[in-house]
Amino acid sequence: PVQVMMSQLDVPRISKANCVRSKHSSPMIKDFIDETDYNWDDFTDEEFCAVHLATLCESALRNLDDADGLGIAVAYSPDLVHDFLDTVFPKHFHTPVDRAGADRVLKISGTYSKNRGQHAEGDFQSDSEAKIKNASEEIKSAAKLFLEPSYKRLEHSEYNIDPDEGDDDAA
């Protein structure tokens, strides 16, 4: 959760971050805060960001439950492309991926989403540890208090993929 917040708050002014801008217009954020013992006026921008992200997790969980197995949650990971090739396509969508298809997926997965079409240089380099190390106490506290519970529920949802499920080699 801290890493996600650090990515969201990596802007010149925190008040302009996507996760903060909706604080006055989102009924989901209002409902979330109303269910706590906290006063709306006491929330910092970091706390609004955590609440915003928590509402996204809660919405995903509700939709997964409503879909009753038709949806699937996929956690972001360094091996995300292989999660899709090895689990999502064949086990969830029951769609075989031939070598040419896998090659196309691998090629497009080399494009970093925030580089506007430029190809990434080299392998994926995780910056999670640096984000945690550089996070302010306000971000860490907000993530733990407001985002982590929803994030953990989504992470451990029965609808979250298990790449090793059904793999005879996994032990």
Side-chain angles (χ1 to χ4, degrees):
V2 170
Q3 306 92 304
V4 177
M5 285 187 60
M6 287 293 287
S7 292
Q8 287 287 310
L9 297 172
D10 187 18
V11 294
R13 289 183 37 216
I14 289 179
S15 64
K16 298 295 183 187
N18 287 334
C19 61
V20 177
R21 287 192 316 225
S22 63
K23 69 182 177 183
H24 294 295
S25 61
S26 171
M28 290 173 59
I29 290 175
K30 182 186 180 318
D31 291 346
F32 187 100
I33 293 172
D34 287 348
E35 291 179 17
T36 71
D37 294 331
Y38 297 91
N39 184 341
W40 178 278
D41 296 329
D42 295 334
F43 274 72
T44 65
D45 284 342
E46 291 85 357
E47 291 169 329
F48 274 111
C49 181
V51 168
H52 170 85
L53 295 170
T55 64
L56 295 178
C57 291
E58 293 295 332
S59 182
L61 281 163
R62 271 191 312 280
N63 282 284
L64 286 166
D65 285 340
D66 290 348
D68 196 28
L70 293 177
I72 189 170
V74 182
Y76 182 82
S77 73
D79 208 26
L80 185 62
V81 66
H82 292 288
D83 290 343
F84 274 86
L85 288 171
D86 301 337
T87 305
V88 176
F89 296 141
K91 295 178 183 176
H92 181 71
F93 290 114
H94 307 287
T95 302
V97 179
D98 62 11
R99 184 73 253 158
D103 288 345
R104 286 191 303 275
V105 170
L106 290 167
K107 179 180 179 184
I108 197 66
S109 73
T111 302
Y112 181 52
S113 63
K114 295 178 183 173
N115 275 357
R116 309 235 187 261
Q118 299 174 18
H119 287 279
E121 296 287 330
D123 293 332
F124 173 83
Q125 298 294 318
S126 175
D127 58 355
S128 294
E129 287 181 30
K131 286 178 178 176
I132 291 170
K133 180 181 172 214
N134 295 325
S136 67
E137 285 306 312
E138 291 83 5
I139 290 172
K140 290 176 183 176
S141 175
K144 184 169 184 60
L145 184 61
F146 298 109
L147 176 55
E148 192 171 290
S150 299
Y151 187 93
K152 293 287 185 191
R153 280 195 303 279
L154 181 58
E155 185 176 54
H156 297 291
S157 164
E158 67 180 297
Y159 301 112
N160 205 329
I161 69 162
D162 179 358
D164 297 324
E165 183 179 297
D167 185 351
D168 295 333
D169 297 331

